[in-house]
Amino acid sequence: MSYEIIGISVLWIFLYGYLIVASIDFGAGFFAFYARATGKDHLINRLISRYLSPVWEITNVFFVFFFIGLIGFFPSAAHYYGSSLLVPGSIAIVLIAIRGSFYAFENYGSKKNIVFLFLYGATGLLIPASLSVALVLSEGGFIMENNGVVTLEYMKLLTSPLAWSIVALAITSVLFISASFLTFYADRADDQPALKLLRGYALFWSTPTIIAAFTAFLYLSQYNARHFQNMMNLWWLLGLSVVFFLIVLWLLYKERRYGWAFMSVMLQFGCAFFAYGIGHYPYILDPYITVQGSATGEAMGIALIAAFIGGLLLLIPSLALVFRLFLFDADYVKGKR
Amino acid sequence: MMIDTVLWSRLVTGLTLSFHVIFATIGVAIPLMIAIAELVGIRKKDHHYTLMAKRWTRGFIISVAVGVVTGTAISLQLALVWPNFMQLAGNVIALPLFMEVFAFFFEAIFLGIYLYTWDRFRNPYLHWLLTIPIVLGASMSAFFITTVNGFMNQPAGFSLVNGQFTAVYPLQAMFNEATPSKVFHVLTSAYMTGAALLAAIAAFSILRKGATDYTKKALKLMMSVLLVFSFLTALAGDTAAKFLAEHQPEKLAAAEWHFETEKGADLIFFGWLNAEREIIGALHIPKALSFLAFSDFNAEVTGLNEFPANEQPPLWIHYLFDFMASIGFILLAISAIFFVFLLWRKRNEYNRWLLRSIVLGAPLAFLAVELGWFYAEVGRQPWIIRGYMRVEEAATTSPSIMPLFFLFLLLYIVLGTLCIIVLRRLFRNNPAEVELEKIAATHAAKVKEEGELQS
């Protein structure tokens, strides 16, 4: 396998990792605020902050990792995405800055500040919306290059049904993934009232998520026939995704095996995400950047993969330690330590 | 119009980096201080030091949050504001950038564990061991990102063919000739600044509320760290100057207002220039520049006039250099005086004037970090990759960069203010003495309970 294929696969796996951990984080922010606004915060906020406090920084690194990896393996991406995303990217930076620092201010500093909590919850939905714009751009047609000057066609983007359906999908998925994880976490903590509330959220958000997914798929078929056709060739992967979704619904409905339910959520999104990604190949930005045409030199590509393997040898045991201490330690989850 | 967007691009990046470097310095330095305090606490079985480590960690986590988000900002801005730079240089500097993220990842994981496991291990050394990956991760990310900056100053490890970097050797690019002296200077000055900050907090508390055992111990511990690292910083600064003399003579010449190439060059301290580039009112130290640059009073130092006018850095960097170096020596002097007073029994090391200068030392140290970076970066003008790419070729062409400057300015004002308010609230309502009483009370209760069990 050539190094650029390894590169893009690694990046796609990391983006998938970010999708899961960030969704849990972003959704939890929204639920924490929503629960406060509806007077149910005593039920779940302690649970949420117990999980999030040790891991919020790690979530942030996943994003930087994907981003730096992308411009490392494919430097032309910096030219096209960098030039065209100056304004939306800067807005995303501001949102991420507000969210990250206000989380720390609220949790380690001044407790019970409703303004901080509101901004934390609101940015939790705005950030996935703004980041998903990059996925829309990758379909092509929104970025124009004339004489080496790259511009973003804002009007075209803002009036595109594809763009809005992907934004809707991002927001609903965030809430669905987060609610199903927190349901599992509440179950581990043996916290019945929180479990009841969060299970309700998860069941509620499952429907809009699947509707948004089909809508986005429909608009993609109109917008980029090549990508759509490639995905249709991977029909079995999309079918598996639907099967996992049905398993999630069944388990949530039957009120049992929440761990398996969350695993199924991960597999549901994993199948769809990889069908989307493989269908996108060979373009990173249609039609300007392809995987082969824009990869960095071989020496750097191999050095990056070596660094990546070295990094994983360090990270996997460390992440396993985090999971053991904060996710699978029943006493910690229940709040005894 | 072109020039305008370039200037705004520089201002946006300068703004983000100036703000980030405050928190980045804290982020590199404070973990080491926490590790030292916790280890001293365990070894001496003195809960004062353990409490010190706990309180510093609590403040540290707030500043880490701001450091993380501004660090994310700068990593994104690299591509957003300098897309052509990243397209070209990304082929050569991707490796250290990538590894920097790994180091940061490593630190983030263990910081989370460290914070939430204070009482989870029976053996106190196990919890202390968690500080090692944090200190390493913080210092390694400083190392990797400094190699990128070193590359921009002293490019190496590639050949340029038709405007593209080819035949890239990633490790040669990382370990370019600027890397050793830069990393040495960045790390020592960061540790020095961290120690100056924590010493200043202890000194401030003594000035306000009188000395307690806790504040005395904190002050003494941090002053000894400050003494070591202000000495090492001076040494690192000297190494860096010698590097400049050999490899980037235009930067040193601009900083020293050394126009004509000559042997036995004078060191010029402060002063100003008139319209004819003549130096007025400066302190001249005979032959000191030659000695500083080459350890030889009669060595020849290249003058700025040897370089074409459009490749000369601006001359005002002279003041940045002089202020930075002066502050370094002031900090070294303050810490040395503290220990002279401490050892010389007749003198009181808690002299109010000495304490006041220790308090003043913290903002001065941060100022010196800023000035040093401004000197390093402005002194590289007009290049973004010295000798290969000029700043105006690298910047974005989008006119939106101007309003974005004000957006980020507003963001940093809000973050900075809130950070200070939150930190004040965290410590003002909860002084160390109250916490110590609480610890003593729970300890006493435990002893009593055990006694009752035995009887």
Side-chain angles (χ1 to χ4, degrees):
Chain A
M1 214 184 337
S2 58
Y3 71 90
E4 62 266 19
I5 302 280
I6 299 179
I8 192 71
S9 313
V10 162
L11 291 175
W12 201 247
I13 291 167
F14 255 84
L15 192 59
Y16 171 69
Y18 180 64
L19 175 91
I20 299 294
V21 292
S23 293
I24 295 173
D25 185 24
F26 291 141
F30 176 77
F31 291 132
F33 171 72
Y34 180 74
R36 169 81 69 88
T38 51
K40 289 174 182 161
D41 49 330
H42 57 285
L43 292 177
I44 57 171
N45 279 9
R46 227 178 73 84
L47 185 83
I48 289 176
S49 81
R50 248 186 126 63
Y51 164 73
L52 285 182
S53 295
V55 301
W56 73 268
E57 252 194 295
I58 301 176
T59 310
N60 210 34
V61 191
F62 264 92
F63 175 58
V64 181
F65 194 102
F66 168 75
F67 174 78
I68 293 288
L70 180 72
I71 46 181
F73 274 105
F74 307 98
S76 324
H79 176 65
Y80 288 98
Y81 283 118
S83 303
S84 55
L85 284 174
L86 180 66
V87 175
S90 298
I91 292 170
I93 294 175
V94 172
L95 292 174
I96 290 172
I98 290 176
R99 189 184 150 81
S101 40
F102 283 23
Y103 179 76
F105 294 163
E106 158 92 11
N107 271 275
Y108 309 114
S110 78
K111 300 273 180 204
K112 311 266 176 247
N113 188 326
I114 185 80
V115 181
F116 288 1
L117 197 62
F118 168 72
L119 285 169
Y120 179 63
T123 50
L125 295 186
L126 291 175
I127 293 171
S130 68
L131 293 183
S132 63
V133 168
L135 279 185
V136 181
L137 296 187
S138 74
E139 295 298 334
F142 299 105
I143 294 179
M144 293 297 155
E145 187 179 28
N146 291 315
N147 303 326
V149 177
V150 177
T151 45
L152 177 63
E153 312 232 322
Y154 284 99
M155 270 323 285
K156 206 169 168 191
L157 181 67
L158 290 175
T159 54
S160 157
L162 176 70
W164 289 108
S165 61
I166 288 185
V167 167
L169 177 60
I171 293 176
T172 50
S173 320
V174 157
L175 294 170
F176 178 52
I177 294 173
S178 185
S180 29
F181 173 79
L182 291 170
T183 307
F184 158 64
Y185 202 64
D187 181 49
R188 281 208 64 91
D190 209 8
D191 185 343
Q192 289 307 324
L195 176 67
K196 197 163 157 274
L197 187 66
L198 289 162
R199 178 177 157 270
Y201 289 165
L203 279 171
F204 176 82
W205 284 107
S206 63
T207 319
T209 305
I210 208 76
I211 293 174
F214 277 111
T215 317
F217 197 54
L218 202 70
Y219 281 118
L220 183 69
S221 73
Q222 293 178 2
Y223 190 83
N224 189 334
R226 184 194 57 81
H227 190 182
F228 177 76
Q229 194 51 50
N230 285 349
M231 278 175 81
M232 284 314 281
N233 294 342
L234 294 162
W235 57 270
W236 53 275
L237 212 49
L238 295 170
L240 267 180
S241 174
V242 175
V243 169
F244 283 120
F245 175 70
L246 294 175
I247 294 175
V248 180
L249 279 190
W250 171 254
L251 290 175
L252 284 178
Y253 186 71
K254 283 282 169 186
E255 296 183 34
R256 58 181 182 190
R257 294 192 186 272
Y258 294 108
W260 286 103
F262 181 66
M263 277 298 285
S264 304
V265 170
M266 281 174 63
L267 288 168
Q268 176 207 334
F269 278 89
C271 290
F273 191 72
F274 280 92
Y276 175 88
I278 298 167
H280 211 294
Y281 182 82
Y283 291 105
I284 293 174
L285 170 61
D286 203 345
Y288 298 109
I289 312 177
T290 60
V291 169
Q292 275 81 8
S294 66
T296 184
E298 189 170 0
M300 180 53 86
I302 288 167
L304 285 177
I305 291 169
F308 178 73
I309 293 168
L312 279 191
L313 291 178
L314 207 63
L315 287 189
I316 290 173
S318 322
L319 280 173
L321 187 62
V322 172
F323 284 150
R324 242 192 66 187
L325 288 171
F326 300 114
L327 201 53
F328 298 114
D329 186 311
D331 282 348
Y332 175 80
V333 180
K334 285 176 188 161
K336 288 186 185 151
R337 302 208 232 206
Chain B
M1 199 61 211
M2 276 305 280
I3 300 298
D4 277 342
T5 56
V6 172
L7 186 60
W8 283 115
S9 303
R10 289 178 60 195
L11 288 173
V12 167
T13 311
L15 176 72
T16 302
L17 280 173
S18 313
F19 190 69
H20 176 64
V21 79
I22 298 171
F23 297 93
T25 305
I26 293 175
V28 170
I30 304 298
L32 181 70
M33 312 304 150
I34 293 170
I36 292 174
E38 195 184 357
L39 183 65
V40 173
I42 297 171
R43 291 198 68 91
K44 287 191 174 173
K45 292 197 172 32
D46 183 338
H47 59 270
H48 279 132
Y49 291 100
T50 315
L51 181 65
M52 232 176 265
K54 275 190 184 177
R55 285 173 67 90
W56 290 345
T57 308
R58 248 180 272 151
F60 175 62
I61 195 73
I62 302 283
S63 81
V64 163
V66 183
V68 167
V69 297
T70 52
T72 309
I74 191 65
S75 75
L76 283 160
Q77 276 181 358
L78 265 184
L80 295 176
V81 182
W82 308 97
N84 303 324
F85 163 71
M86 280 313 291
Q87 186 180 22
L88 178 71
N91 289 303
V92 193
I93 56 170
L95 182 68
L97 284 177
F98 202 57
M99 288 168 87
E100 199 262 333
V101 186
F102 268 119
F104 173 38
F105 219 142
F106 195 52
E107 184 195 350
I109 289 174
F110 282 94
L111 190 60
I113 300 179
Y114 182 76
L115 271 176
Y116 288 89
T117 52
W118 274 99
D119 306 312
R120 274 175 89 166
F121 302 110
R122 215 170 273 275
N123 181 347
Y125 283 103
L126 275 180
H127 185 257
W128 175 77
L129 279 179
L130 291 170
T131 61
I132 292 175
I134 301 173
V135 173
L136 270 182
S139 306
M140 287 311 277
S141 46
F143 166 74
F144 288 123
I145 212 67
T146 308
T147 68
V148 173
N149 187 267
F151 170 81
M152 291 161 80
N153 279 284
Q154 193 66 25
F158 62 88
S159 23
L160 190 72
V161 180
N162 300 330
Q164 285 292 319
F165 286 153
T166 52
V168 173
Y169 295 96
L171 287 176
Q172 268 187 25
M174 253 177 86
F175 293 96
N176 58 73
E177 287 159 311
T179 291
S181 60
K182 261 188 186 286
V183 169
F184 186 27
H185 200 33
V186 164
L187 286 180
T188 50
S189 60
Y191 294 142
M192 173 185 85
T193 307
L197 174 67
L198 295 175
I201 292 171
F204 185 72
S205 166
I206 296 176
L207 279 171
R208 283 280 294 270
K209 294 182 282 187
T212 62
D213 280 350
Y214 175 84
T215 45
K216 277 184 184 173
K217 282 174 188 168
L219 183 66
K220 215 183 282 180
L221 184 67
M222 281 303 106
M223 287 311 280
S224 43
V225 178
L226 179 63
L227 181 68
V228 171
F229 282 106
S230 53
F231 175 73
L232 287 176
T233 305
L235 199 67
D238 182 57
T239 319
K242 288 186 166 53
F243 164 80
L244 287 185
E246 201 178 332
H247 297 282
Q248 270 181 282
E250 78 280 11
K251 196 190 245 182
L252 187 71
E256 291 299 339
W257 288 349
H258 181 63
F259 299 116
E260 299 298 332
T261 301
E262 61 179 353
K263 289 183 177 171
D266 292 358
L267 185 74
I268 292 160
F269 202 56
F270 289 102
W272 62 91
L273 288 174
N274 67 11
E276 282 84 45
R277 272 197 176 187
E278 281 159 3
I279 301 158
I280 302 168
L283 181 68
H284 290 254
I285 307 171
K287 298 191 177 185
L289 182 59
S290 288
F291 186 73
L292 182 76
F294 298 102
S295 307
D296 171 3
F297 284 109
N298 291 313
E300 185 177 271
V301 183
T302 316
L304 195 60
N305 293 345
E306 307 284 323
F307 299 91
N310 69 348
E311 288 183 15
Q312 291 182 4
L315 290 172
W316 54 271
I317 62 171
H318 174 68
Y319 298 110
L320 303 178
F321 184 86
D322 280 6
F323 273 112
M324 171 192 73
S326 313
I327 291 172
F329 282 106
I330 290 172
L331 286 171
L332 182 58
I334 292 173
S335 48
I337 292 170
F338 180 86
F339 282 96
V340 168
F341 279 19
L342 184 73
L343 296 172
W344 184 21
R345 291 278 167 204
K346 277 186 204 160
R347 284 291 183 173
N348 179 9
E349 68 271 22
Y350 303 109
N351 174 312
R352 296 191 78 78
W353 282 107
L354 186 57
L355 289 175
R356 278 179 199 140
S357 48
I358 293 171
V359 172
L360 196 64
L364 281 180
F366 280 99
L367 182 65
V369 169
E370 296 278 1
L371 291 172
W373 273 114
F374 269 93
Y375 165 57
E377 297 306 279
V378 179
R380 174 159 52 96
Q381 295 303 315
W383 302 105
I384 190 161
I385 308 173
R386 186 171 157 271
Y388 291 92
M389 190 181 217
R390 293 174 73 98
V391 167
E392 62 266 20
E393 300 168 283
T396 182
T397 47
S398 167
S400 319
I401 190 77
M402 196 255 277
L404 287 177
F405 173 81
F406 294 99
L407 177 71
F408 282 111
L409 183 64
L410 183 70
L411 173 70
Y412 299 143
I413 292 173
V414 171
L415 287 187
T417 319
L418 281 177
C419 183
I420 293 170
I421 293 175
V422 169
L423 281 175
R424 274 177 62 122
R425 207 178 282 170
L426 194 61
F427 289 106
R428 248 233 309 242
N429 304 335
N430 189 20
E433 293 67 43
V434 176
E435 280 198 71
L436 283 170
E437 274 168 27
K438 265 188 223 156
I439 293 171
T442 47
H443 188 69
K446 210 190 250 172
V447 169
K448 199 177 162 206
E449 198 176 292
E450 275 168 11
E452 276 167 4
L453 278 176
Q454 275 168 2
S455 63

